[in-house]
Amino acid sequence: MSSYDSRLLNFVIFAPLVFAAVLFILPKNEKGQIRALTFIAMLVDAALAIWAYVRFAEGPAEFRLEYWASWVPEIGLSYHVGIDGIAASLVLLTGILGPLVVLASWTFVQDKVKEFHLAILILQTAMMGALCSLDLLLFYIFFEAMLIPMYLLIGVWGSEERQMAAMKFFLYTLVGSLLMLVALLGVYFIATPAGQHSFDYAAVYNGLLGGSREVAACVKAGGENCSLSPVAAALMRYGPWMFGAFALAFAIKVPMWPVHTWLPDAHTQAPVAGSMILAAVMLKMGTFGFWRFAVPLFPAAAQKYQLALATLAVIGIVYGALMCLAQRDIKRLIAYSSVSHLGYCMLGLAAMTPEAATGSAYQMLNHGVSTGALFLLFGMIYERRHVRLLSDYGGLAKVMPIFTAFFVIVTFSSVAVPGTNGFIGEFLVLLGTFNSKLPLWVGVLASLGVVLGAAYMLLMVQKVFFGPVTRKENQQLHDLNLREIATTVPFLILIVVMGLRPQPLLTVIEQSTRRYVARATLGPESSEPQLQVKTRPPPTPAPAPAGAIPSLKLGENEAPKPSPARDRLLRPMISPNSPRPVLMAAPPANAQGAH
């Protein structure tokens, strides 16, 4: 890997922040320059995200484009970034969405234009950083950093009840995040030995792996008279609580039923840019958190509560669809559709089969495209009429044919019509669910969501677009202009390409799917080599006690003055009867931390 590749993710993460610094010095009254500079910044970030995706697809390792640098060695905190298949796909989605968000808000936001675009650029950096983080505390920092700019987007540029919605969003997500921080500190002390504590994902994962296997074996044996190591004993006692804290934080972000109530208010009151970012990317931080941290770090607890997670996911699917049928506010209807669609993502993760996990990951991308496009299109009509009720519209197909055609295509994607992207994800999730150990009724009820989804979306289309023009205000509406068409067409292209040619994306995702299933089920992954994540070992590993598995010898470290508090040389804790890939440490390519 070239020196440029090792720093590529740094550019992806911080390019928006650099442009934000330039934007900060522009005069507030130069609205055209502010919008143009932000659009250029997002185009640059999109190009970098696409290049990172291309470079990722060319490598063999699980985590690629890695960069490691010591940050606070006294506590084992490092700046460690890298991407796997699911992270690379979400980075690509986030990059493509950036310029479209700016275009969508070109005329919608007229007050505090400079502050609005600064918030968008800072939010872009936080989202990219969270997706690329391979250090738990670094992930938490970026995860929390997303709250402030999104709070401002809703609370300052939202609709009439924006302050209530912004506060509800902030409090819900903050409470979950603080519980996750407590659990994160518990993992930090349990997974790594005193004097060598580390927040690095590889160190934590490998440190817990052997204990997780012991806990699973003990539970299988009935949970009595088990001789457990200190790590396993800690996981047996505190593991379910730590998993619960991680799961609650990510469930709120998804959001899953019953901690979803902040989402309809946030979507309803947010400006079009806020709704697009929230639906397309920020909600995926919850499902991504389950994929990366909650399930792999606590596989025994995840298996114990597998049926509970699947049940909540199915309730979310059906409940969200039924709530959509009851809505009269179009934005709230689209918001509740997110609760239903993201239930499929969670069901795929809970099923723990290759098909379901692949479908879950693909559905994350699908939801970002289809629901992001729905909020974009409704934002265009809202900018013209400033009303949200179904009864305020009717017969728009007669006065806005281009807008109607675009909306119907996106609706087909949302209801998973074959040939669109939505069909691929939902089909794989349902197929994997029926092939899993979950009861049959889980898959049957989840299938009901497909029928209900078609019902509420097609009813909305019928009331809004067809029939006579019911309001005289609608007779004078003008169709989409060139800027609005240019903003919408990329979504339509993605819907068709992802529906007809899903294999290139599925191939990249599937690389991560196999490993996720192996870690979630504590099963072997015989076709894969041992995994490597680059991090720095201490200079002199402590001698192993008699009978212990010897440490891996991975070469000499070139870094000057290494600290004992840095990441330790990891030792895979593997049961001899259950082979499994582990994350292995590897030394950096040079003293500056590049790989």
Side-chain angles (χ1 to χ4, degrees):
M1 183 171 62
S2 69
S3 177
Y4 175 78
D5 282 345
S6 68
R7 292 167 172 80
L8 180 54
L9 292 183
N10 295 337
F11 295 124
V12 171
I13 295 169
F14 294 109
L17 199 61
V18 173
F19 279 95
V22 178
L23 183 65
F24 184 77
I25 65 177
L26 288 179
K28 290 186 175 182
N29 58 348
E30 296 292 344
K31 296 181 180 180
Q33 293 184 23
I34 290 171
R35 293 189 179 103
L37 181 62
T38 307
F39 182 66
I40 292 172
M42 290 300 193
L43 281 179
V44 170
D45 201 45
L48 291 170
I50 293 171
W51 182 242
Y53 186 84
V54 171
R55 295 298 296 163
F56 169 85
E58 296 175 357
E62 176 180 4
F63 292 100
R64 304 168 202 169
L65 306 180
E66 286 185 65
Y67 183 89
W68 189 98
S70 179
W71 188 3
V72 187
E74 291 76 14
I75 63 172
L77 172 62
S78 62
Y79 174 79
H80 187 188
V81 293
I83 51 175
D84 63 352
I86 181 62
S89 302
L90 290 173
V91 164
L92 178 66
L93 173 66
T94 307
I96 293 174
L97 182 72
L100 303 180
V101 168
V102 179
L103 283 178
S105 305
W106 201 270
T107 58
F108 188 83
V109 175
Q110 295 296 334
D111 297 328
K112 299 182 176 64
V113 175
K114 179 178 178 178
E115 291 82 355
F116 175 83
H117 289 87
L118 281 172
I120 289 179
L121 290 172
I122 294 171
L123 182 58
Q124 185 82 350
T125 286
M127 293 187 299
M128 289 294 195
L131 293 172
C132 297
S133 295
L134 288 180
D135 184 283
L136 270 70
L137 189 56
L138 181 67
F139 169 82
Y140 180 82
I141 292 170
F142 282 121
F143 190 79
E144 289 292 88
M146 292 184 287
L147 295 184
I148 296 175
M150 180 53 71
Y151 171 84
L152 294 175
L153 288 177
I154 299 172
V156 176
W157 295 278
S159 300
E160 57 277 358
E161 297 181 6
R162 57 186 178 273
Q163 294 181 355
M164 176 275 296
M167 185 59 68
K168 196 172 182 180
F169 157 78
F170 189 86
L171 292 178
Y172 262 74
T173 51
L174 180 63
V175 169
S177 298
L178 291 177
L179 290 175
M180 181 177 68
L181 177 61
V182 175
L184 190 153
L185 293 175
V187 169
Y188 170 76
F189 288 110
I190 291 172
T192 52
Q196 297 177 357
H197 288 311
S198 175
F199 289 103
D200 192 86
Y201 181 60
V204 171
Y205 173 80
N206 283 349
L208 295 177
L209 176 58
S212 296
R213 287 194 177 281
E214 291 183 52
V215 170
C218 181
V219 171
K220 188 176 182 180
E224 297 181 359
N225 301 322
C226 297
S227 178
L228 300 177
S229 66
V231 172
L235 283 177
M236 178 70 82
R237 184 173 182 180
Y238 302 112
W241 293 99
M242 293 188 290
F243 171 76
F246 274 89
L248 179 60
F250 297 137
I252 291 173
K253 186 70 79 174
V254 171
M256 294 181 68
W257 184 91
V259 290
H260 67 285
T261 55
W262 64 269
L263 182 67
D265 293 328
H267 269 315
T268 302
Q269 302 302 322
V272 58
S275 292
M276 289 176 64
I277 296 173
L278 193 60
V281 181
M282 283 194 65
L283 302 186
K284 310 308 178 299
M285 296 300 169
T287 51
F288 178 76
F290 275 100
W291 182 289
R292 171 73 79 244
F293 300 106
V295 174
L297 295 182
F298 307 101
Q303 291 182 57
K304 180 179 179 181
Y305 298 110
Q306 179 186 17
L307 181 58
L309 284 174
T311 301
L312 292 177
V314 169
I315 291 175
I317 292 171
V318 178
Y319 167 84
L322 293 176
M323 288 298 293
C324 286
L325 287 171
Q327 295 305 308
R328 298 296 176 263
D329 185 308
I330 298 176
K331 260 198 133 178
R332 290 184 75 86
L333 188 155
I334 300 173
Y336 274 110
S337 75
S338 289
V339 177
S340 183
H341 290 153
L342 287 167
Y344 286 104
C345 297
M346 288 306 306
L347 179 60
L349 291 174
M352 300 180 185
T353 60
E355 302 90 352
T358 301
S360 171
Y362 204 69
Q363 189 65 7
M364 294 183 206
L365 305 179
N366 294 336
H367 179 266
V369 172
S370 60
T371 308
L374 285 175
F375 279 116
L376 167 67
L377 288 169
F378 180 75
M380 294 174 181
I381 192 68
Y382 182 80
E383 189 175 356
R384 290 162 168 79
R385 291 280 282 110
H386 295 285
V387 289
R388 298 193 303 263
L389 297 181
L390 287 168
S391 58
D392 292 319
Y393 298 96
L396 293 187
K398 292 180 174 63
V399 294
M400 302 180 68
I402 297 176
F403 176 81
T404 302
F406 286 179
F407 202 100
V408 170
I409 293 173
V410 176
T411 298
F412 287 162
S413 169
S414 182
V415 301
V417 171
T420 64
N421 58 334
F423 174 77
I424 305 297
E426 290 188 12
F427 176 79
L428 287 173
V429 168
L430 292 175
L431 177 64
T433 300
F434 283 115
N435 288 335
S436 70
K437 298 179 181 179
L438 294 171
L440 180 63
W441 61 263
V442 174
V444 172
L445 289 180
S447 302
L448 179 62
V450 178
V451 179
L452 294 175
Y456 65 73
M457 289 301 296
L458 294 179
L459 282 174
M460 178 187 69
V461 169
Q462 174 66 33
K463 292 179 180 180
V464 172
F465 296 100
F466 299 104
V469 179
T470 56
R471 302 274 182 173
K472 62 179 182 180
E473 297 90 340
N474 297 332
Q475 295 176 350
Q476 306 302 322
L477 293 176
H478 58 84
D479 213 340
L480 301 185
N481 56 40
L482 289 178
R483 175 185 60 83
E484 292 169 329
I485 292 174
T487 308
T488 309
V489 165
F491 285 103
L492 304 183
I493 293 174
L494 288 173
I495 286 171
V496 174
V497 171
M498 293 174 65
L500 298 179
R501 284 283 296 161
Q503 197 54 50
L505 283 169
L506 290 176
T507 299
V508 173
I509 291 172
E510 192 266 344
Q511 299 176 30
S512 299
T513 297
R514 293 194 306 269
R515 291 158 176 135
Y516 168 79
V517 173
R519 291 166 187 161
T521 60
L522 286 172
E525 192 179 11
S526 57
S527 62
E528 291 295 321
Q530 289 184 320
L531 311 180
Q532 292 189 6
V533 170
K534 297 175 181 177
T535 182
R536 294 186 180 184
T540 53
I549 300 175
S551 300
L552 298 173
K553 186 175 182 180
L554 299 173
E556 297 179 359
N557 180 19
E558 300 176 9
K561 300 180 181 179
S563 168
R566 290 179 182 167
D567 298 333
R568 63 190 176 97
L569 186 61
L570 303 177
R571 292 177 292 177
M573 304 172 70
I574 308 175
S575 171
N577 296 324
S578 303
R580 171 186 170 88
V582 299
L583 301 171
M584 295 194 307
N590 54 56
Q592 282 71 40
H595 304 284

